[in-house]
Amino acid sequence: MNPERKSPERRSRKARRTREALAQAAFELVLDHGLRRVTVEEIAERADVDRRTFSRYFTGKEAAVLDSFRGDGDRINEALRARPAGEPPLTAYRRAVEDWLEDPGTPAWHRRERVFELVVLAEREPTLYAAFHHIRVDAQEDSVAIVADRLGVDPRYDLRPAVAVAAGAGALLAARAAWARAGRPDDLPRLIGQAFDALAGELFAQPPGGRAPYSTTEESRDT
């Protein structure tokens, strides 16, 4: 190994370990004590660094505690890139999510210790929910770029990549919310399957009798 390259590589490894230590400290402290009772200083102390070091990696405790979710978005996008070129975009996105769920090397949410607790907490804590939203948006932007590349189009002018990703990510988001409400940690794959099945046609099927069982428009006329 070139000695001149060794030092930057060592610094990179050290930075990654520091970030992981801060994220793990935030994860444990917030789940043990609650988001509002944990300070950035306590997280930094648990990770054996100072407050200034924390600020180099994270904008706040919410970003730190959710940091592992960024890796999930990256893994879904890696799987999306690897899907066969001929697959329709929404099918490719669904298969990428399924690959992430079944990955034996890096467990998905339902197979990682205490992640279900964190998802439930994120549904209750507005600032944590907002931080999760930012992570999701970042991942979706990458997904749109991948789908646009698969289609050979410019996503600035062709809406198909953004629509496909919004639909797929929306199904994943709906399943995640239902998972948190249901209280069954092992149920995530089934709920994700249901959400994508709805996009496959059932959601847009005409109800029996040719009309919706409930219409807010007709209700407003009657009142």
Side-chain angles (χ1 to χ4, degrees), residues 62-82:
E62 292 86 356
V65 74
L66 294 172
D67 191 55
S68 66
F69 286 170
R70 289 193 178 276
D72 293 300
D74 291 342
R75 282 185 285 276
I76 290 172
N77 282 330
E78 287 172 9
L80 180 59
R81 287 188 187 93

Side-chain angles (χ1 to χ4, degrees), residues 110-164:
H110 63 299
R111 294 189 286 126
R112 289 211 302 268
E113 187 175 1
R114 304 195 74 182
V115 165
F116 178 73
E117 294 178 55
L118 181 56
V119 170
V120 171
L121 182 63
E123 290 291 313
R124 299 199 307 259
E125 291 284 356
T127 58
L128 205 56
Y129 188 88
F132 184 86
H133 173 74
H134 284 299
I135 292 172
R136 182 169 59 87
V137 168
D138 288 344
Q140 284 181 224
E141 288 178 355
D142 290 341
S143 299
V144 170
I146 294 167
V147 171
D149 185 64
R150 290 168 60 88
L151 295 175
V153 300
D154 187 334
R156 295 175 298 175
Y157 308 109
D158 192 318
L159 293 180
R160 289 176 296 166
V163 170

Side-chain angles (χ1 to χ4, degrees), residues 55-115:
S55 298
R56 286 205 297 266
Y57 293 93
F58 299 110
T59 56
K61 58 188 177 181
E62 292 86 356
V65 74
L66 294 172
D67 191 55
S68 66
F69 286 170
R70 289 193 178 276
D72 293 300
D74 291 342
R75 282 185 285 276
I76 290 172
N77 282 330
E78 287 172 9
L80 180 59
R81 287 188 187 93
R83 297 305 307 168
E87 278 186 338
L90 189 54
T91 300
Y93 191 93
R94 176 176 185 166
R95 300 302 180 224
V97 171
E98 291 171 347
D99 289 344
W100 164 71
L101 285 171
E102 298 167 4
D103 185 354
T106 305
W109 297 339
H110 63 299
R111 294 189 286 126
R112 289 211 302 268
E113 187 175 1
R114 304 195 74 182
V115 165

